[in-house]
Structures are given as C-alpha cells and as structure tokens.
Amino acid sequence: MIDFRLDDEYEALRKTVEEFARSEVAPVIGDLYEREEFPYEIVAKMAEMGLFGLPFPEEYGGMGGDYFALCLTLEELARVDSSVAITVEAGVSLGAMPIYRFGTEEQKEKWLPELCAGTALGAFGLTEPGGGSDAGATRTRAKLDGDTWVINGSKSFITNSGTDITKLVTVTAVTDVKENGRKEISAIIVPSGTPGFAVAPKYSKVGWNCSDTHELSFDDVRVPAENLVGERGRGYAQFLSILDDGRVAIAALSVGLAQGCVDECLRYVKEREAFGHKIGEYQAIQFKVADMEVRTHTARLAYYAAASKMLRGEPFKKEASIAKLVASNAAMDNAREATQIFGGYGFMNEFPVSRFYRDAKILEIGEGTSEVQRMLIARHLGVA
C-alpha cells in the first residue's frame, strides 16, 4: 500500500525545523522584513543546524541526506517566512548543487565544504535582463584567452549574489556560435571580488524582502579555464536539469506558504468576533478555510510524488512541473483568501498574512513561470 507517512528520520527533521522557525525566525522576521535586511543571524543558526548541507555527502561537509529532506525543511521554514526559505533553497539547489552535480573533484573539494557549512553562499547566474523565461537567449559571452576565460555581460534577479558571505556565482555564457547560428552555452564559476565583476545595489522588491537579490555585470572578467563547470557547451542542459530539481523545492516552499496561511487563519477565526459571533462560526469563512486546506493538501501530495520519483532515479520532469504549478497556485490563492479573512488587518504589515501575500506572487514566476510549466506538461503529454 502507498504510505505517505514520514519515517522517523524525516519526521524528526521536520519537527526540528518547525520548532526553529517558530522560536527563532517568527519573533524577529517581521522587523527584518520591513527594514529589508538580510537575516545573517538566522542564516548562521541554520548553518549550525546543517541545513545548507542536507542533500550532500559527508565527504564534502554535507549531512548525507537527500533532496526530500531539503524539501521538508523548505516547507517548514516557509510556513513562517519565505525569505528565509528561499535563502536556503537558492544556497543549496542553485549555489552548491551545480558544483556537486557537474563540477570536477577539485572544484568540489575547493567550494563545497564552505557551501555545505553555510559559512559561504553560492549563486546561480542564468536569467538576463532581456531573457526572462527564454533562458536560451543568453547574451553574456565568455571567450577563452589562453588558460583564462574572459567574461562580458550581465545577469538579473540573482538570489544570494551580494551578501557578505557570497563566495561565487556560477554563470551561463555563450562560449561559441556555430555556423548554423546555434549558441554553445557553458557554465563558469566566477568568485566574488574578481576584478570586473560588479554587484548592483539590491532591488526594491514587492516581497521576499529579507532575501538578497541583485543584478550582476561582467566587464572583461578573467577567471581560470579550470573554472568551467561540467562539459563545455553543456551549460544550458546542466542548468535545465538543476531547474527540474529546483521546481520540486519551490513547490515545497509554496506548500509551506500555503500552510502558513491556513495556520494563521485557524488562529484568527477562533479569536475574531463579528456580529456577536466568532467569525469561524460563519459558513462563508469555514468554506474559505476548508478550500485553503484542500489546496495545501493537494499541493503537498504533488511535490511528494515528484520528489519520490526523483529519489528513485526515475524521470520526473513532468511531475516537477505539475508540483510547481499546483503548489504556486495554491500559495497565491491561499494568500489572497487569508488576507480577505483578516480583512483590514490583513493589509497591515504587522500581520504575517500580509507578508505571505507579498511573497506569494513570485512563486508563480521564479524557477519557470506558470505558463512555462503548462508548456512543459503539454510537451510531455505529446500535445505538441
């Protein structure tokens, strides 16, 4: 029989992260969020817990866990705050995972111990100002000059790219153009502080205000030839593979936000009175909360299914897209309904649901828009 219960090890991790989020994140994140400050102290505590090393082998400083353990962690963190959750997700799935999956042994030994320890963060430089969903429209160029790559171009919306502990950005760049006009795209590690590598001031964002996000520029940036990650010309394919994993992670994060909306509403409807009754006694409110729980439950099953296929080594691209689409929609719908249930208080920044509402929309955009997910699902079904 299919059993969706977590085993003892997963459940212990889930409870540990849940308690951490409630006791360490919840009391301070509201003020940090409004000041748009990166949560360095929270990150340091998560690093001590080993959260940044969850899916990596112990030989590289990891915890020897798996990707589902990361997903459970992201869900529990996002029940309280998505900025903190996306910092872990990007640090693990986007910063360290490309090096672990495709890097040389020397690259792994050099970079992974700090990244797994959480004392350093890595970033993932794919999106460009004119690219968006069209990741293949990369304009950043890298030319091999002897034993050195010379990189020119820019990247946009890059998470974890400008913190005090950011150590590298792995960027995609065009390394050749074939006679038929087809671009050869490769992935190259650019360490922070490399001459010509500039980090723009942080974006002013609608949500994820405690997450670090910048535009990056590369002006004759020179890095050693051995900084190439994986095979030359395979950078685009490598990053698409990383995005498949990341969609499951973002689905888990989305489920956390959706569940956080349910949590907050359950508390509120038992306390708030209107017309002489607790508002939870009114059927209109009951139906809203019930629908929120249904969306959350369904989305959780979707990402569990995608993660299970991933861990078994089976193809999971379609399931990852389904999970990401269903879960991000659930997060957005639940955030909207939670704000409605809270009424005027839902529009006040002192209440978590207002933060959830501001954070939810990006989940339908990042790691592949909802439209891209539908396109991928249709493609796997053979529609086109």
Side-chain angles (χ1 to χ4, degrees):
M1 294 180 64
I2 296 174
D3 187 351
F4 292 102
R5 292 175 297 179
L6 301 177
D7 66 24
D8 291 344
E9 187 174 349
Y10 285 137
E11 180 60 18
L13 171 65
R14 190 202 65 76
K15 286 184 176 179
T16 298
V17 179
E18 178 187 23
E19 175 58 29
F20 171 79
R22 296 295 176 195
S23 62
E24 301 290 340
V25 179
V28 301
I29 198 62
D31 288 340
L32 291 172
Y33 194 92
E34 290 310 310
R35 295 200 302 268
E36 300 184 5
E37 291 185 13
F38 187 76
Y40 285 104
E41 291 187 11
I42 293 174
V43 168
K45 291 176 180 178
M46 292 192 296
E48 292 175 2
M49 295 169 65
L51 300 188
F52 288 93
L54 275 173
F56 301 110
E58 294 179 5
E59 64 183 292
Y60 299 119
M63 298 294 289
D66 57 32
Y67 209 84
F68 186 58
L70 172 65
C71 289
L72 291 175
T73 294
L74 297 175
E75 180 182 344
E76 291 304 323
L77 291 173
R79 285 177 70 177
V80 171
D81 182 72
S82 293
S83 294
V84 170
I86 195 61
T87 298
V88 175
E89 193 279 334
V92 175
S93 182
L94 303 181
M97 193 61 72
I99 296 174
Y100 173 63
R101 290 268 302 276
F102 307 111
T104 63
E105 189 61 32
E106 291 74 19
Q107 289 170 343
K108 294 175 186 179
E109 292 176 356
K110 178 177 181 180
W111 298 108
L112 285 181
E114 279 189 287
L115 297 177
C116 290
T119 54
L121 292 175
F124 173 100
L126 176 64
T127 305
E128 298 193 358
S133 295
D134 187 5
T138 301
R139 295 183 179 179
T140 297
R141 303 280 174 156
K143 181 179 180 180
L144 197 57
D145 181 17
D147 59 358
T148 302
W149 288 108
V150 183
I151 305 171
N152 286 279
S154 62
K155 300 291 180 179
S156 58
F157 314 131
I158 309 304
T159 305
N160 290 349
S161 58
T163 74
D164 293 345
I165 57 174
T166 299
K167 290 298 179 72
L168 66 93
V169 178
T170 303
V171 301
T172 52
V174 177
T175 49
D176 194 13
V177 179
K178 305 302 182 183
E179 290 184 3
N180 61 4
R182 187 179 183 87
K183 296 177 180 177
E184 175 191 90
I185 299 176
S186 305
I188 303 170
I189 295 173
V190 180
S192 298
T194 301
F197 172 26
V199 179
K202 65 182 180 181
Y203 289 103
S204 176
K205 297 176 293 187
V206 171
W208 281 3
N209 283 356
C210 287
S211 170
D212 179 78
T213 319
H214 299 265
E215 183 171 351
L216 310 177
S217 63
F218 306 88
D219 184 9
D220 285 339
V221 172
R222 290 179 171 268
V223 298
E226 58 263 29
N227 281 23
L228 179 73
V229 178
E231 298 178 37
R232 176 170 174 168
R234 293 288 298 168
Y236 184 58
Q238 291 169 190
F239 273 79
L240 289 181
S241 174
I242 291 296
L243 287 176
D244 289 334
D245 297 355
R247 283 167 185 150
V248 183
I250 293 297
L253 191 157
S254 299
V255 169
L257 189 151
Q259 185 65 62
C261 290
V262 175
D263 297 342
E264 293 298 323
C265 286
L266 287 175
R267 284 191 285 269
Y268 187 71
V269 301
K270 295 173 184 178
E271 299 171 356
R272 178 77 162 89
E273 292 188 1
F275 306 104
H277 295 273
K278 297 288 194 297
I279 64 172
E281 297 178 26
Y282 295 108
Q283 195 176 67
I285 299 296
Q286 294 171 8
F287 282 9
K288 283 183 181 292
V289 176
D291 286 343
M292 290 166 65
E293 177 65 12
V294 168
R295 284 189 288 265
T296 305
H297 179 78
T298 303
R300 182 177 292 112
L301 293 179
Y303 99 71
Y304 275 25
S308 68
K309 293 196 76 171
M310 177 199 299
L311 295 185
R312 291 196 300 269
E314 299 175 5
F316 68 98
K317 290 178 180 289
K318 182 184 72 174
E319 288 76 13
S321 289
I322 290 172
K324 203 271 183 180
L325 178 62
V326 170
S328 61
N329 286 346
M332 190 67 214
D333 290 344
N334 278 18
R336 184 179 60 252
E337 292 288 36
T339 303
Q340 191 71 16
I341 289 172
F342 271 70
Y345 290 112
F347 204 62
M348 301 297 112
N349 286 329
E350 63 188 280
F351 288 86
V353 294
S354 70
R355 190 167 71 246
F356 294 160
Y357 189 75
R358 293 164 68 179
D359 289 341
K361 183 58 192 175
I362 188 61
L363 298 172
E364 295 182 314
I365 299 172
E367 301 261 3
T369 64
S370 295
E371 291 76 16
V372 166
Q373 304 315 315
R374 290 184 174 94
M375 178 184 70
L376 294 173
I377 293 165
R379 184 179 298 166
H380 280 283
L381 292 174
V383 175

